[in-house]
Amino acid sequence: MIDLHKQEGESEEQFIWRLGREKDAGKLDLGWEEIADIINREFREDDSEYRNESAYRKPYQQAKRFYEAGVFKDLTSEKYIELLKVEQQELKKERQKISDERLQYNRLLREMARDELICEKICNEIRVLPELPTPTYIPQVSTEKEAILCFADTHYGAEFSIKGLFGEIINAYSPEIFEKRMQKLLSSVIDFINEKHLSKIKVFSLGDELDGILRVSQLMKLRYGVVESTVKYSEYICAWLSELTKYVSIEFYSVQGNHTELRQLGEPKGTFTKDNMSLVINEFIKERMKNNPNFKFIQNDSGLIFDNVCGYNILGIHGEVKNMEAALQKFTNIYNPKIDILVGGHKHHFSAETVGVDREVINVPSVVGIDDYSMSLGKTSNPGAILFMVERYNGVIEQRNFKL
């Protein structure tokens, strides 16, 4: 018995094909006009939409022609099904690629918008600043000795107080305390310049100028946002350097620290190495000091400090290394020229060690001094900076520690 009603889930085309095949097989003794009446009743409620027999017969005959020509013979084969699966997978991959590209593009737009906003804010701050005074040019005198001033880890913007067992303050820090310590350093360096009759010094800024936002807990001790801290620190250090150039010519060098890296909260260090506010600080200093005849910004494309001073290769790093002596040898192997003196910050305490003939490793103390993190590690040290003299054929001959 042939079912002349639409089966569950059966489409109109499937119904036409089934009745047509039954008719061709001689199992359905009906003409196409009668078949058309059945199809119309099954698929059309309004008789005004009924179609004549050719509307069903002709599509069936066309489909039958292609079917008998073998066009659809592979449609149910395993090989064809596998081919369809592969094509579906490729389609999914292409869709995923498009989705990933769209996400990457949107991310790029967000990063560009953020960078433009930061630049716009900083540029607006620079525009309203008064010009720095231009000092009288100081001619450089060639000598066999050169002085290098090193300071690190100023962590500008941080504000905290560390107390001892009896409620006494072991160390307190704020932007105002930072300025007092830097003024003390400036006075000490000027005294040293006058004492040694220097006409030029090199200044190494060894990173972590700002406190940054590496951990959520740091948000509680920051007075300013990252952009405002960058502007305030940059303007202060420019004024500080400008004052020093009244007494001596300066070659200024800088490295990037870990705290100035713009990390998304929770991201590991090194994720956004190019998003570092030290780069902004450097550009600020270049722009503000460009008309100063006694100032020169020395930049190395490696992001590190490197210079040959009186015949000795000196490398400056931020200092995120476990062992300075091993690091000195590692950098020698990486960059090929022998490193004679390695200088770094980061560890917030001073140490100096001779590791070979005229070879030194020097850890520079921090301007910030003791903080919660150093207390948790059980490592404490006075805030400070150092200045050392290098002499041709004799290496480091003198070192001055400045307690701040």
Side-chain angles (χ1 to χ4, degrees):
M1 186 70 179
I2 299 171
D3 188 355
L4 298 179
H5 293 285
K6 176 181 67 173
Q7 297 176 1
E8 184 177 356
E10 189 174 31
S11 68
E12 183 174 334
E13 288 75 14
Q14 291 172 328
F15 188 58
I16 294 170
W17 180 257
R18 180 164 64 83
L19 295 186
R21 296 298 289 169
E22 296 289 359
K23 174 175 173 55
D24 288 348
K27 297 179 181 179
L28 182 61
D29 188 18
L30 295 174
W32 272 102
E33 288 186 359
E34 294 170 295
I35 293 174
D37 288 338
I38 296 171
I39 298 170
N40 283 328
R41 287 195 301 270
E42 290 296 310
F43 287 92
R44 285 157 185 78
E45 297 180 359
D46 190 345
D47 58 7
S48 65
E49 297 178 352
Y50 282 10
R51 301 174 183 176
N52 59 30
E53 57 88 21
S54 66
Y56 303 115
R57 174 175 50 80
K58 289 182 178 180
Y60 170 76
Q61 290 174 341
Q62 290 293 332
K64 178 182 174 183
R65 174 186 166 198
F66 282 94
Y67 177 80
E68 292 177 348
V71 173
F72 308 124
K73 66 180 180 180
D74 292 328
L75 289 180
T76 57
S77 69
E78 291 184 6
K79 182 179 179 181
Y80 181 75
I81 293 171
E82 287 300 318
L83 180 62
L84 282 179
K85 288 181 179 179
V86 171
E87 290 178 349
Q88 288 175 344
Q89 290 174 353
E90 290 299 320
L91 181 60
K92 285 182 180 179
K93 285 196 286 187
E94 289 301 319
R95 286 176 176 171
Q96 188 61 49
K97 285 180 183 178
I98 293 172
S99 177
D100 291 344
E101 287 174 357
R102 187 181 295 112
L103 289 173
Q104 184 67 23
Y105 178 69
N106 289 334
R107 177 185 173 188
L108 178 62
L109 288 178
R110 288 195 301 271
E111 290 178 352
M112 289 173 64
R114 181 199 64 195
D115 293 346
E116 287 177 3
L117 181 60
I118 290 174
C119 290
E120 183 179 333
K121 285 186 176 181
I122 292 174
C123 288
N124 289 337
E125 293 284 347
I126 294 175
R127 288 190 191 103
V128 300
L129 293 173
E131 287 192 14
L132 293 170
T134 302
T136 303
Y137 172 68
I138 299 173
Q140 298 180 22
V141 179
S142 179
T143 67
E144 295 296 297
K145 301 177 184 178
E146 288 201 58
I148 301 172
L149 170 66
C150 302
F151 65 85
D153 300 283
T154 54
H155 290 265
Y156 185 86
E159 193 168 24
F160 59 84
S161 179
I162 306 294
K163 292 189 176 181
L165 297 175
F166 303 100
E168 77 279 17
I169 294 177
I170 298 176
N171 185 41
Y173 199 63
S174 67
E176 291 77 19
I177 293 174
F178 157 78
E179 291 185 10
K180 288 181 180 178
R181 290 179 182 176
M182 291 301 290
Q183 285 303 116
K184 184 178 180 180
L185 176 61
L186 179 65
S187 177
S188 299
V189 172
I190 291 171
D191 288 342
F192 185 90
I193 290 168
N194 292 332
E195 176 189 334
K196 301 296 181 180
H197 306 290
L198 300 176
S199 63
K200 183 184 78 170
I201 67 168
K202 297 177 184 290
V203 177
F204 287 5
S205 175
L206 295 167
D208 277 1
E209 299 95 333
L210 314 176
D211 200 54
I213 306 176
L214 304 191
R215 293 171 289 274
V216 176
S217 60
Q218 286 180 279
L219 293 171
M220 302 302 294
K221 64 174 186 175
L222 291 177
R223 180 185 293 186
Y224 309 115
V226 174
V227 172
E228 190 174 3
S229 292
T230 302
V231 173
K232 288 182 177 295
Y233 172 83
S234 299
E235 178 57 13
Y236 180 83
I237 207 65
C238 284
W240 190 91
L241 291 167
S242 181
E243 183 65 23
L244 190 57
T245 58
K246 294 178 182 179
Y247 302 88
V248 73
S249 177
I250 293 175
E251 289 183 355
F252 184 82
Y253 304 73
S254 177
V255 300
Q256 298 176 27
N258 58 302
H259 276 260
T260 45
E261 187 178 301
L262 289 176
R263 301 183 194 173
Q264 295 178 359
L265 297 178
E267 291 290 344
K269 66 181 180 181
T271 304
F272 305 105
T273 56
K274 299 299 182 182
D275 283 347
N276 197 302
M277 294 309 286
S278 287
L279 299 173
V280 178
I281 292 169
N282 289 345
E283 292 304 314
F284 193 112
I285 294 172
K286 290 178 193 176
E287 179 63 25
R288 289 288 278 160
M289 301 292 288
K290 66 182 179 182
N291 295 323
N292 190 316
N294 297 329
F295 181 85
K296 186 177 182 181
F297 193 106
I298 309 295
Q299 184 168 324
N300 192 290
D301 291 338
S302 69
L304 305 175
I305 294 171
F306 178 76
D307 197 6
N308 184 279
V309 181
C310 297
Y312 294 92
N313 289 327
I314 301 181
L315 185 71
I317 63 175
H318 176 54
E320 288 182 276
V321 295
K322 290 183 178 180
N323 182 286
M324 286 287 282
E325 182 178 357
L328 183 146
Q329 188 58 51
K330 183 188 76 170
F331 284 118
T332 293
N333 295 338
I334 291 173
Y335 294 112
N336 200 21
K338 174 189 172 185
I339 305 300
D340 301 300
I341 303 171
L342 180 65
V343 185
H346 183 67
K347 296 182 179 179
H348 289 215
H349 67 270
F350 168 75
S351 66
E353 185 179 1
T354 299
V355 296
V357 178
D358 293 334
R359 302 189 83 186
E360 308 274 346
V361 292
I362 302 171
N363 272 115
V364 178
S366 67
V367 174
V368 68
I370 302 168
D371 61 6
D372 290 327
Y373 186 62
S374 60
M375 288 290 286
S376 70
L377 296 177
K379 294 183 179 293
T380 60
S381 176
N382 291 320
I386 67 166
L387 189 153
F388 60 92
M389 297 282 290
V390 178
E391 184 176 49
R392 191 173 298 278
Y393 308 120
N394 291 313
V396 178
I397 60 167
E398 185 176 353
Q399 186 171 280
R400 190 71 60 92
N401 290 2
F402 302 115
K403 289 185 179 180
L404 305 178

